[in-house]
Amino acid sequence: CPLQADAADVERCDGIIIGSTENFGLMAGLIKDFFERIYYPCLESKQGLPIALYIRAGEDGLGTRAGIEKIVTGLRWKFIAEPIILRGNYGSEFTAQVAELAMTIAAGLDSEIF
């Protein structure tokens, strides 16, 4: 949960998956709050952190993606896959896509690719 996660949690991470809804064309407020709390404490220590992103979009998801990508670029984290934008009515394929993304980052970390 983004409310509970803090810089110490990020410091312990070998990789991270960010999931956000698209709210008014932007990232969810709790995700923005998370980034605001961890940005400076993790700026130098977590450069190169592997990251994956998925967005549950009501519109096109591009504003949310751009906002998160700017922050991730500033943190110097590394995307391990193209961000996933889940558009339209919810479907079971959304769960499968996010599960595959999670397995990709887990397998890459396990085999030390990332």
Side-chain angles (χ1 to χ4, degrees):
C1 172
L3 266 179
Q4 297 170 337
D6 61 18
D9 293 316
V10 176
E11 291 291 340
R12 289 189 295 273
C13 288
D14 294 322
I16 191 167
I17 299 172
I18 301 287
S20 180
T21 55
E22 175 188 58
N23 297 336
F24 308 108
L26 302 170
M27 74 184 86
L30 290 179
I31 298 300
K32 183 177 181 296
D33 176 73
F34 165 75
F35 280 127
E36 287 175 350
R37 287 182 288 108
I38 65 91
Y39 191 91
Y40 289 107
C42 297
L43 183 59
E44 297 299 322
S45 61
K46 295 307 287 185
Q47 291 181 18
L49 182 71
I51 182 172
L53 170 65
Y54 68 92
I55 298 163
R56 178 66 179 101
E59 299 294 326
D60 62 9
L62 298 179
T64 303
R65 178 178 174 168
I68 292 173
E69 284 178 339
K70 286 179 187 176
I71 295 167
V72 167
T73 297
L75 286 165
R76 297 181 200 99
W77 291 357
K78 184 180 84 177
F79 280 101
I80 58 98
E82 188 72 19
I84 297 173
I85 299 178
L86 308 166
R87 294 181 181 96
N89 294 329
Y90 179 82
S92 60
E93 68 275 8
F94 290 177
T95 302
Q97 287 176 287
V98 173
E100 184 176 335
L101 185 64
M103 288 186 285
T104 298
I105 198 168
L109 290 169
D110 188 52
S111 62
E112 298 180 359
I113 294 172
F114 311 127

